[in-house]
Amino acid sequence: SLVGLPDGTLWATGANDSGQLGQGTPGDRSVPMQVELGGRLLSLSASPSHSLAVRSDGTVWAWGSNSSGQLGDGTTSNRLAPVQVQGLRGVVMVAAGSSHSVAVRYDGTVWAWGSNNYGQLGDGTTNNRLVPVQVSGLSGVVTIAAGQYHSLAVRSDGTVWAWGSNNYGQLGDGTTNTRLEPVQVSGLSGVVTIAAGQYHSLAVRSDGTVWAW
């Protein structure tokens, strides 16, 4: 598990089989130890095997499993300590999927990297990406989420957009078709926050109601 403290430091404890605790050495940790980010923590997200952090300078740092390029450093080598995601600045939020990563920049654009076998990077292909690529046709995004093989975004107009695996209808577009680029979730507006499970998605509207698909 990862915990960010109010002072901007990041602490980790638990399983470390892929280096996901960012300690620089292998081995599980039974007590929290600080992750050295080299700067103040702004935002973080973690999958079971890799971790992402945004520093206050807008750079993204990643560590742990990298088999599909989900650390965004141009390689597929696992990393035991944080490495900087290449070519990405001005980031305000990150989301870690099973083996892919998603980020939203201050300008509302969305970027993704790692595994893309179901189109979860939203760039119109199924090619894995070792460095970030921009999600196609998506702007004005304020928040994001990443499931196992799908991704979600909320735009400033309160609409929700989804892409990637859709075998259980987790994209909410009324089909079970995989989508390689973002499609709008049907009949849903006024959304303020979202969450992505393994094969399902959730949204909270401004009226406090919760919606799921």
Side-chain angles (χ1 to χ4, degrees), residues 3 13 19 21 23 33 46 53-54 57 59 62 72 75 78 85 103 108 130 133 137 146 166 184-185 190 202 211:
V3 177
T13 186
L21 298 188
Q23 301 299 317
M33 298 185 67
V54 182
D57 62 2
T59 59
T75 78
N78 290 0
V85 174
L130 305 187
V133 292
N166 197 25
Q184 187 173 351
V185 174
L202 300 163
W211 296 74

Side-chain angles (χ1 to χ4, degrees), residues 147-167:
Q148 185 169 21
Y149 304 122
H150 74 291
S151 307
L152 304 171
V154 179
R155 294 183 58 199
S156 57
D157 61 4
T159 58
V160 182
W161 297 74
W163 59 98
S165 176
N166 197 25
N167 53 330

Side-chain angles (χ1 to χ4, degrees), residues 15 35 81 83 85 88 96 146 181:
V35 180
V83 292
V85 174
L88 197 57
E181 295 182 351

